[in-house]
Amino acid sequence: MPSLDAIAIFAQVAQLQSFSEAARALGMPLSSVSRKVSELEADLNAHLIDRSKRQIRLTEAGASYLELCRKGLDTLTFANRVMSDRHSNTTGTITITVPPNLVEELFLEAIEAFQLQYPKARVRVLVSERLLDFVDDGVDLSFRVAPPDQPDLKVRTLLRYRHRLVAAPHYAAANPLPRAFSDLTAHKLIGFGFHKSPQVTWTLTKGSQSESARIDPDLSINDYVATRAAILAGHGIGELPEPLCKTALKDGQLVEVLPDWRFPEIKLFSVHSGNAALSKLARLFLETINNRLKV
């Protein structure tokens, strides 16, 4: 029966697509890594890795075997980490990535609660729309509003929300709010946009009806916090993510425009490279944020 060590070494070689890189990551001599993979192939009587080219690739049998073994290896690594964590404290640093404009509204209170419970834990927040590399960028957890396209990453939906069309009450008092989607063009409009895309498309639905308009905003800003400030100041009607306007709507600082018309639903995801790769602190933080933003 093949040894678990040989299977784990084969998985590392397959993941890194290099014997030398795998040897470096495992802290083993290159010859030992190569020998272990050869022994595994002999035990299985199967050719797992094509070594004929400069960059190795898995054979069909190797790809199938890796897929079958991956979950078991992740479970074993996770079990070992859990047992190790029982003897470790909660001191250390975790690095998370968060989309722009959501740190204050969704994450600061969770971070505060987490650090009150684990006072020796440090949290490093990187505000970014792109999915940073978990290894190269040293990221533990990524929170994003678009799911990644890498199938091996672990993704969980934390929150569902939508954008809302809103205006300040004093703007609404001076400018009767639209009753139909087509009435929007008669108003000052504030849109989220970039300098290379001056126009903004708003698509809303009401039951089975759907309306879409491509508008030239009177004011275009590529920052939702600044957009909120402009709307509160009475510069016009604009769209805001629900987390950024929910309190203002509740307190009467903003009013909703065309409340029966809805923007598409948006999901906030947590993304990481697997339980086996998560530190104890990262798992605890994910649990904290999940409890606070539970769908």
Side-chain angles (χ1 to χ4, degrees):
M1 180 178 178
S3 72
L4 289 177
D5 280 348
I7 297 172
I9 290 169
F10 159 69
Q12 189 76 4
V13 172
Q15 180 182 342
L16 297 176
Q17 296 185 322
S18 167
F19 280 91
S20 57
E21 289 296 325
R24 188 176 297 110
L26 294 167
M28 296 175 61
L30 176 59
S31 58
S32 298
V33 171
S34 181
R35 186 182 72 253
K36 283 290 186 181
V37 173
S38 295
E39 290 174 356
L40 177 63
E41 290 178 317
D43 288 338
L44 297 172
N45 192 26
H47 185 43
L48 302 178
I49 294 178
D50 183 356
R51 302 169 174 81
S52 62
K53 298 181 180 179
R54 185 170 184 178
Q55 184 175 15
I56 69 166
R57 68 177 183 85
L58 297 180
T59 63
E60 183 179 346
S64 298
Y65 188 65
L66 177 65
E67 186 62 29
L68 291 169
C69 291
R70 193 188 300 275
K71 289 184 179 179
L73 288 171
D74 286 348
T75 300
L76 284 172
T77 304
F78 180 53
N80 289 337
R81 184 181 285 276
V82 168
M83 295 305 294
S84 175
D85 284 346
R86 293 179 64 189
H87 305 290
S88 66
N89 57 30
T90 50
T91 299
T93 301
I94 61 169
T95 299
I96 67 172
T97 67
V98 180
N101 303 309
L102 293 184
V103 177
E104 181 179 357
E105 303 298 332
L106 296 181
F107 286 87
L108 282 188
E109 287 189 4
I111 291 171
E112 180 182 14
F114 175 74
Q115 291 185 310
L116 283 174
Q117 188 170 2
Y118 308 104
K120 294 184 178 180
R122 296 182 297 276
V123 181
R124 180 171 170 251
V125 181
L126 304 177
V127 178
S128 176
E129 289 186 345
R130 69 185 183 90
L131 181 64
L132 300 179
D133 188 271
F134 290 101
V135 176
D136 292 345
D137 297 307
V139 173
D140 296 292
L141 295 166
S142 181
F143 300 94
R144 46 192 280 114
V145 293
D149 54 11
Q150 297 96 314
D152 56 329
L153 296 179
K154 304 300 179 184
V155 182
R156 176 194 293 178
T157 301
L158 296 178
L159 183 68
R160 293 184 174 93
Y161 64 91
R162 63 185 178 92
H163 286 211
R164 296 193 185 191
L165 275 181
V166 294
H170 56 282
Y171 175 88
N175 304 273
L177 294 181
R179 295 185 177 182
F181 187 85
S182 58
D183 296 337
L184 282 170
T185 54
H187 285 265
K188 293 286 187 181
L189 301 178
I190 305 170
F192 185 98
F194 296 96
H195 68 282
K196 292 184 178 180
S197 306
Q199 290 188 316
V200 175
T201 300
W202 286 346
T203 301
L204 295 97
T205 59
K206 178 183 177 182
S208 59
Q209 302 178 62
S210 179
E211 295 280 357
S212 184
R214 192 161 179 81
I215 62 173
D216 287 304
D218 298 277
L219 175 60
S220 181
I221 311 175
N222 68 335
D223 179 85
Y224 276 118
V225 172
T227 300
R228 179 176 61 183
I231 297 171
L232 287 167
H235 289 292
I237 295 172
E239 48 103 5
L240 289 174
E242 210 164 36
L244 269 70
C245 63
K246 183 168 59 176
T247 300
L249 285 168
K250 182 180 178 181
D251 295 344
Q253 295 177 290
L254 291 173
V255 294
E256 188 163 10
V257 179
L258 299 174
D260 294 333
W261 290 85
R262 302 175 68 88
F263 281 97
E265 182 182 76
I266 295 174
K267 296 178 181 179
L268 177 69
F269 301 96
S270 66
V271 183
H272 59 87
S273 54
N275 289 333
L278 283 183
S279 66
K280 181 178 183 178
L281 278 179
R283 291 201 308 275
L284 292 171
F285 183 81
L286 183 57
E287 181 180 319
T288 298
I289 197 70
N290 183 57
N291 288 338
R292 285 181 169 266
L293 302 181
K294 192 173 293 183
V295 174

